[in-house]
Each structure stands twice: as C-alpha cells, then as structure tokens.
Amino acid sequence: MRVDKPPFNDVNVRQAFRYLIDRPEFIATTLDGFGTVAADVTSPYDPDFDQSLHRDQDIALAKHLLAKAGYARGLTVDALHVAGG
C-alpha cells in the first residue's frame, strides 16, 4: 500500500483492511496452503514471536473504521492504489 497517498494515508483505512480479510481462508485459497498467519507482526519463525497475537476477521469493525475515515458508503481500490501507480 502506498501509505503516502489516499486512501491508505489514513490509518483507519489501513486498519480496516487488516480486519477485512479472513486470513486462514486467504492462505488456503491464494497460497494453496503454503503460508502462515502472522497477524501483521514479525515472522512466526522469529524466536521472539508472540504466539498469543492474532487478528480475526471483523467486518463490523472494518466498516466502522472505514466510516470513521469518511468512507461510510464504501471504498473501491484497484491495483494502482495498492502498488502506487
């Protein structure tokens, strides 16, 4: 994400995207199961990784965060928003 450009320059939008995804399903369907849920922190292979951390999908919270950022009616992004074109 280009965090220096809208809409991702708003921390609420970035947080919303973290809560939108069903991480285990994402890994199973897009990575063919070859991945590990790491909850947006350091690698689970790091000896100091805190195994108690996790982030579950929470659509209601994601909608709340988007509304807080001014996107109560929704937000559409494309690859250019994410890649920074």
Side-chain angles (χ1 to χ4, degrees):
M1 294 178 199
R2 289 289 308 262
V3 299
D4 61 330
K5 297 189 183 279
F8 297 115
N9 62 338
D10 188 318
V11 68
N12 293 298
V13 173
R14 295 193 304 270
Q15 285 289 348
F17 271 72
R18 289 182 181 113
Y19 285 105
L20 282 172
I21 191 166
D22 179 338
R23 292 156 190 268
E25 181 181 339
F26 181 81
I27 289 171
T29 58
T30 62
L31 300 176
D32 221 12
F34 293 100
T36 304
V37 176
D40 304 324
V41 293
T42 61
S43 167
Y45 302 108
D46 183 332
D48 294 323
F49 180 75
D50 185 348
Q51 296 290 335
S52 70
L53 298 174
H54 68 282
R55 190 185 313 268
D56 295 325
Q57 183 182 41
D58 189 336
I59 300 296
L61 179 55
K63 286 181 178 182
H64 169 76
L65 290 165
L66 286 174
K68 190 174 172 183
Y71 297 100
R73 295 179 179 247
L75 172 66
T76 301
V77 296
D78 56 34
L80 292 177
H81 283 99
V82 178

